[in-house]
Amino acid sequence: MIQITIDDHPYEVPEKITVLQATRLAGIDVPTLCDHPSLKPYGGCRLCVVEVEGMRTLQASCTLPVYNGIVVYTNTPKVHKARDFVLTLLFSERNHFCPFCQKSGGDCDLQNAAYGEDMTHWPIQPNWKPYPLDTSHPYILIDHNRCILCRRCVRACGELVGNFTLSIENRGANCLLVADNGVPFGESSCVRCGTCLQICPTGALINRQSAYLGLESNAEHVESICLGCSVGCGVDLVIRDNHLLRIDGNWNAPVNGGILCEKGRFLPIQEKRQRIRTPLMRKNGKLQPVSWSEALELVAARFAPLKGQNSGGIAALASTRLTAEALFAFKDLFANHLQSDMVTSVEENKTFDPRLNGEPRATSLEALKQADCVVVVGANLEESHQVAGFFIKRNLVGNTRLVVINPDPKVMANQANFSVQPKPGSDAILLQGIMGGISQLGLDRRENPEQPVVTIERAGQESEVSVESIAALSRVIGGARKVVIVAGKGVTGQNDDSTSRALTELAAQIGAQAVMTMKGNANSFIAALYELDQAFNPQGRMAAYLALGDDYPSRRLEQRISGIPFLVVQASYVSALTEKADVVLPVSIWAEEGGHYMNLDGRLQTARQALEAPDGVWTNLTVLQTLAGQLGAPTRATWKEALYQGLPVAETA
């Protein structure tokens, strides 16, 4: 810690921070436009200038490091004169007609900075040249008239996402924000994460889903987590009148640091599926609205005689978008009380043990940010778990090497430094061959190295990958010091665990920083810890219970439940499954209920309720607990302990 003085007040601050960061720690407001806490200091707009004792000119506080004894003034006439001049130039450079801008009224950093300097006008005649609008993107509109060329969006696209889609072309007043080489934004390499949109300080980048729906100051903000996948990104839900206006990334979230993907930011807003608002029961061949009590009484009456009848009893399946509390209640009801041996989740994956030495096998997404080599096997981080992919992509311009092992040559082809396409089903033998190559190079880091069981030549023959490629992979992977191995469903979805074992052995051989499994939905980790990961085979059962919540039912699931005599579907939306059901139980969607989720890091997080569910719609947990009460099952509240100690022993008849 060092001693500094700001506006005649002494402060103790950490070393190696900037003056701007020090003012923020001191609670002193210094206006900025190009600066953002999540980006590297840039020093472009010069709005954050301060006076420093002993320095002749004003200094940009965002790029000036603090030093012991520095004396800073943020509120002098000289500082305010400079800020007024900067703002005057910015407002006059383009057509900033605030009354017509969707960010006017408290949401615009430029306008707020002007109000902070008591500006009511600017003396320089504005540039009346009209600038174009780019409306080609499905979610984002670019209005160049509002752009102040701060380059926040350009830097965020590169520094945070690693996509480098945006840049600035031309010079002076002709400068324009462009995508790729000047193609329309909607036709560019944009991955639709919306990071540029959220970080823009003006109305230059406009959210087409929420534009002109009201001011930020009139909205409610609820911090929660995204349920789009098992990364578990922190989100800021912007709510007004029980309506979800938009989803922003939470800049302070420990998992994602504010970054989101299309699935987390935009897709939930445009949900168009039809909600189910009342319990339904099949009468005379048609689903008819009924009361909750009538629906649950029928379910309980049909389920009670099937207790303990495995082959002809009940098959139960739950979505891994459900909360930990709901998944525990589901398991407790169907496995422990009704004693069914067919109780699982939509993951159906047992090939990768979620526990290590009795504890949850937690990894760290932070390892991806520090890795000098990332080996991706059987995963496509361009389509799923995109934020984890962003952590890799943004480091590829440095020292990180990306190795992709996938039968599909198109998977992450543009990002990979090394990409091989083994014959389907030969991942394990290829990995063992790489281990053999690492041993031959003398790069085995184990205390007692074992002799390789597979040679490079044999691995090449069986995997149909060239010996030269396997040798190159051995050098790259074995020579790296901070290796992270990422396994996707191409590994975890296999019929046996040979590839998982090979990955674990490879990690031990090279001293890998982490072995990460890109699990499915938000609570896939907890489902595995609850042992809700066996294959779902409902054939021959007299009844099936599907706790889908707001998940999308797959076509495969529709086919599997065909012919079940009695089908109960607990769901938020109408689907082909609800149309086939004998009883439909309406439940709340992700934003209408709170609970706990464990991401792929093993981080237990809290999702908070942001919206009120429609009248007559219950939470997933309430439905399961009420049904358990109808069946006389004891209510347990030990969901958290069960994650580490195993579920209670099944009741005996």
Side-chain angles (χ1 to χ4, degrees):
M1 303 292 282
I2 60 175
Q3 302 293 325
I4 69 172
T5 302
I6 306 177
D7 294 338
D8 297 323
H9 294 283
Y11 296 96
E12 188 177 62
V13 299
E15 297 182 64
K16 298 181 180 180
I17 65 171
T18 65
V19 170
L20 179 60
Q21 291 169 329
T23 62
R24 287 170 175 163
L25 290 174
I28 298 171
D29 180 39
V30 173
T32 64
L33 286 174
C34 71
D35 184 81
H36 190 277
S38 296
L39 299 176
K40 296 176 183 177
Y42 181 63
C45 70
R46 320 305 285 186
L47 188 63
C48 68
V49 291
V50 295
E51 279 195 78
V52 179
E53 199 169 272
M55 294 187 179
R56 183 174 58 86
T57 60
L58 296 176
Q59 301 294 311
S61 62
C62 66
T63 57
L64 179 65
V66 296
Y67 54 84
N68 198 42
I70 188 174
V71 179
V72 178
Y73 297 97
T74 69
N75 199 28
T76 65
K78 187 177 180 180
V79 167
H80 285 294
K81 183 178 179 181
R83 290 177 185 167
D84 286 349
F85 182 64
V86 168
L87 289 168
T88 294
L89 292 179
L90 287 173
F91 273 106
S92 62
E93 187 174 37
R94 299 208 173 178
N95 301 310
H96 294 284
F97 301 125
C98 292
F100 301 97
C101 180
Q102 61 106 16
K103 282 204 168 186
S104 179
D107 296 351
C108 175
D109 290 355
L110 176 64
Q111 190 182 64
N112 291 341
Y115 286 145
E117 293 300 316
D118 295 325
M119 288 182 64
T120 58
H121 66 286
W122 56 93
I124 300 177
Q125 180 70 240
N127 177 10
W128 299 109
K129 175 185 175 181
Y131 289 84
L133 277 70
D134 185 340
T135 62
S136 61
H137 198 283
Y139 305 121
I140 303 170
L141 182 148
I142 301 180
D143 185 351
H144 294 284
N145 294 280
R146 318 289 188 197
C147 183
I148 59 173
L149 304 174
C150 67
R151 292 166 172 79
R152 264 200 203 178
C153 57
V154 175
R155 291 146 57 208
C157 188
E159 292 178 24
L160 301 182
V161 182
N163 214 52
F164 300 96
T165 297
L166 299 174
S167 60
I168 301 292
E169 71 174 7
N170 297 327
R171 291 178 176 272
N174 293 323
C175 283
L176 284 179
L177 174 68
V178 295
D180 295 336
N181 293 320
V183 302
F185 196 17
E187 300 173 13
S188 70
S189 61
C190 172
V191 293
R192 302 179 180 181
C193 68
T195 305
C196 61
L197 174 68
Q198 183 175 339
I199 212 165
C200 177
T202 67
L205 296 174
I206 300 174
N207 189 332
R208 301 181 69 150
Q209 292 180 326
S210 63
Y212 300 102
L213 293 181
L215 299 178
E216 185 90 3
S217 56
N218 297 332
E220 177 186 358
H221 292 256
V222 178
E223 290 188 0
S224 188
I225 59 172
C226 174
L227 305 189
C229 72
S230 55
V231 173
C233 296
V235 295
D236 178 20
L237 306 179
V238 184
I239 310 295
R240 181 180 297 111
D241 298 331
N242 203 40
H243 177 68
L244 182 60
L245 297 182
R246 72 173 187 273
I247 302 172
D248 287 338
N250 180 359
W251 294 115
N252 298 316
V255 173
N256 58 315
I259 310 171
L260 295 177
C261 66
E262 179 183 14
K263 184 182 292 186
R265 188 186 300 273
F266 296 117
L267 294 186
I269 303 295
Q270 61 183 33
E271 179 63 74
K272 301 298 183 184
R273 288 181 291 173
Q274 181 182 348
R275 285 295 298 268
I276 306 169
R277 298 176 179 272
T278 184
L280 302 172
M281 184 186 299
R282 191 167 299 280
K283 296 181 177 181
N284 299 321
K286 293 184 179 180
L287 288 173
Q288 303 291 336
V290 296
S291 66
W292 272 103
S293 59
E294 185 178 356
L296 292 177
E297 285 172 4
L298 175 63
V299 175
R302 295 292 296 268
F303 281 2
L306 300 177
K307 181 177 180 179
Q309 298 183 22
N310 288 332
S311 60
I314 305 167
L317 177 137
S319 166
T320 46
R321 285 176 60 90
L322 269 59
T323 64
E325 294 88 338
L327 286 174
F328 177 80
F330 172 82
K331 172 86 174 189
D332 200 31
L333 172 59
F334 289 100
N336 295 334
H337 180 69
L338 292 174
Q339 301 174 12
S340 171
D341 65 347
M342 182 51 59
V343 182
T344 187
S345 72
V346 294
E347 295 303 311
E348 302 183 65
N349 164 33
K350 261 191 178 301
T351 60
F352 201 88
D353 187 358
R355 294 180 186 270
L356 187 64
N357 298 325
E359 294 296 322
R361 184 197 293 265
T363 56
S364 175
L365 286 163
E366 281 298 316
L368 285 177
K369 304 174 186 178
Q370 310 299 328
D372 58 2
C373 180
V374 180
V375 182
V376 180
V377 185
N380 187 352
L381 301 185
E382 291 179 308
E383 294 185 357
S384 64
H385 304 84
Q386 283 185 303
V387 171
F390 297 159
F391 293 159
I392 301 172
K393 286 172 60 178
R394 68 193 192 188
N395 291 331
L396 294 180
V397 294
N399 297 321
T400 300
R401 299 284 189 91
L402 175 60
V403 175
V404 176
I405 299 175
N406 198 299
D408 187 350
K410 297 179 181 179
V411 171
M412 305 183 74
N414 294 331
Q415 285 80 41
N417 300 99
F418 300 90
S419 178
V420 294
Q421 295 80 47
K423 182 177 67 176
S426 65
D427 292 337
I429 197 72
L430 173 61
L431 292 168
Q432 290 170 344
I434 293 172
M435 292 177 63
I438 291 172
S439 295
Q440 291 178 14
L441 293 169
L443 299 174
D444 194 320
R445 298 196 180 101
R446 293 174 291 189
E447 291 186 5
N448 299 305
E450 301 174 4
Q451 290 298 318
V453 296
V454 176
T455 64
I456 291 180
E457 290 74 19
R458 178 187 164 193
Q461 183 178 10
E462 296 191 25
S463 67
E464 298 181 1
V465 174
S466 70
V467 172
E468 293 77 14
S469 295
I470 299 176
L473 294 183
S474 300
R475 287 193 297 271
V476 171
I477 298 172
R481 293 296 172 182
K482 297 180 179 179
V483 180
V484 175
I485 299 174
V486 178
K489 285 196 172 183
V491 174
T492 60
Q494 293 181 5
N495 294 327
D496 61 71
D497 61 353
S498 59
T499 305
S500 297
R501 287 200 310 270
L503 285 175
T504 303
E505 292 167 2
L506 174 62
Q509 183 189 38
I510 61 177
Q513 300 291 300
V515 178
M516 308 180 65
T517 56
M518 296 290 108
K519 302 168 182 67
N521 285 332
N523 248 345
S524 298
F525 199 162
I526 279 184
L529 292 174
Y530 283 163
E531 299 179 348
L532 296 171
D533 54 1
Q534 65 172 305
F536 184 61
N537 183 13
Q539 296 305 313
R541 306 284 168 150
M542 296 302 297
Y545 191 99
L546 307 180
L548 296 179
D550 58 7
D551 209 345
Y552 284 87
S554 66
R555 182 67 60 87
R556 186 182 179 202
L557 180 58
E558 295 174 22
Q559 295 171 347
R560 285 183 175 185
I561 55 89
S562 179
I564 301 295
F566 185 69
L567 175 63
V568 181
V569 178
Q570 175 180 317
S572 306
Y573 297 104
V574 172
S575 68
L577 282 178
T578 61
E579 294 296 329
K580 295 178 180 179
D582 296 284
V583 177
V584 179
L585 305 175
V587 289
S588 51
I589 63 172
W590 64 279
E592 296 168 351
E593 61 182 53
H596 291 84
Y597 292 82
M598 184 177 284
N599 79 334
L600 55 82
D601 266 355
R603 183 190 297 269
L604 192 63
Q605 301 187 104
T606 303
R608 294 177 174 84
Q609 180 182 352
L611 302 174
E612 294 293 331
D615 290 341
V617 173
W618 292 4
T619 67
N620 287 279
L621 179 60
T622 300
V623 173
L624 292 165
Q625 288 179 334
T626 307
L627 178 58
Q630 292 273 4
L631 288 163
T635 300
R636 309 175 199 260
T638 54
W639 66 270
K640 196 169 186 179
E641 291 80 358
L643 293 178
Y644 302 93
Q645 301 174 5
L647 288 164
V649 177
E651 299 174 359
T652 56

